[in-house]
Amino acid sequence: FPCFFTTAHADADFSHIAQAYKDSVLEMQDSDFLPGRRTADQSPTFDVKNPPVAGARLGRDPNGSPAWYTPHPSRPGQFVKLES
């Protein structure tokens, strides 16, 4: 069935459904089904828009996770992963 609000619904009905939605999202975050919300004091762990050093290139490490790479100092054409 489609779910619609009508004039037959009271403000209390809307409030109840909105709170149930919020509670569901929090429960899914607690069980790691959805990512949690970052607080103001937490910084992003990986910023793809800001390389940590000039000339760094974005790539994937052997595990498939994003990583920054810089040119290898003694092997032209090869890159080395930057460790954080």
Side-chain angles (χ1 to χ4, degrees):
F1 286 103
C3 299
F4 298 102
F5 281 104
T6 68
T7 55
H9 292 97
D11 287 342
D13 296 323
F14 176 76
S15 296
H16 179 76
I17 292 170
Q19 188 61 49
Y21 177 82
K22 291 175 185 178
D23 292 342
S24 297
V25 169
L26 290 173
E27 186 175 333
M28 288 188 281
Q29 288 174 328
D30 287 343
S31 64
D32 292 330
F33 188 75
L34 290 176
R37 182 178 10 168
R38 258 191 244 139
T39 59
D41 62 327
Q42 292 175 318
S43 60
T45 57
F46 194 86
D47 187 357
V48 299
K49 294 182 180 181
N50 295 312
V53 296
R57 291 187 181 181
L58 186 59
R60 295 209 177 264
D61 67 12
N63 295 326
S65 299
W68 289 108
Y69 290 85
T70 57
H72 194 285
S74 61
R75 295 182 186 155
Q78 293 190 7
F79 290 81
V80 63
K81 181 181 173 185
L82 286 174
E83 299 298 331
S84 54

